[in-house]
Amino acid sequence: MAVDNLTSSNTGSFTLLGVPGLEPYHVWISIPFCLFYLVAVVGNSILLYLIAVEPSLHAPMFFFLAMLAVTDLVLSTTCVPKTLSIFWLGPQKIGFPGCLTQLFFLHYSFVLDSAILMAMAFDRYVAICSPLRYNTILTPKTTVKMAVGISWRSFSVIVPCVFLAHRLPFCGTRAIPHTYCEHIGVARLACADISINIWYGFCVPIMTVISDVVLIAVSYVLILCAVFRLPSREARQKALGTCGAHVCVILLFYTPAFFSILAHRFGQNVPRSFHIVFANIYVIVPPALNPAVYGVKTKQIRDKVTLLLFPKKSC
């Protein structure tokens, strides 16, 4: 009977508590979350529409940007609607399959976002360091292969997290002090040894993201070396200007993510509510601000957005 209880105990539901300690402020916290989510949905949808309908935006750089927009929409939509329901209606139940689904798309989108930023860094490296060979190196076939490769890598790294969580028995509390299901948070509720979950959950995905950061850094070191060899200041500024939006997006994505990771590892004295609020920042703020960054920093997109929103003024 005990064995049967353990094997069947992972079929129930969990309760997402939101931000413990800040329950009186949940409604107020929901306001910026809701606004950022609406901005993310509208901004990324406009970006995808423009890239789809404008032939001048059918280039590798904008193909990766479209991938980033789709991934950002998945990342924010995976977490924010459930988070808002918690803030507005109180603690919410989520079935075990639903929890695993949220867990997968949360971590998959995060790792894929990182890989896309790495691919975009390679695109900028080729555009600046080998501009005459850009179209021969980044052909449509090569671009699609890169997209499939980074998508498959992200999938193959995150799928084991789902199976590692699925195998665990849950015979105690099922209350998750968070706004969404994430791998280690779910694993900590299990009544079994979770050493392999902890090792895999921290090491493999993080090492994947760290390798992306290293490759991005190498790309920009090579880009800077090439830029400083250009003969004129104007040429150097123009070359660096093409990287401005990408650098801003990199900072928006990695800064809150790594700060949250470091706070979890070394911030034992930091209140849990701070950890949870900050963990929500990297699933809502970058998706909301990325389209704005590219809209402001990239002339092709800025012009198309102006034409779309103000057609009479553009004529």
Side-chain angles (χ1 to χ4, degrees), residues 127-150:
I128 292 175
C129 297
S130 301
L132 299 179
R133 300 175 56 206
Y134 181 83
N135 291 327
T136 58
I137 294 175
L138 285 174
T139 61
K141 186 176 180 180
T142 301
T143 304
V144 171
K145 284 182 177 180
M146 290 175 62
V148 172
I150 61 178

Side-chain angles (χ1 to χ4, degrees), residues 7 24 52 57 74 84 94 102 108 133 139 142 166 186 240-241 280:
T7 55
L57 301 181
V74 172
L84 291 175
I94 182 171
Q102 188 182 56
Y108 172 74
R133 300 175 56 206
T139 61
T142 301
H166 184 269
V186 172
L240 290 174
N280 278 276

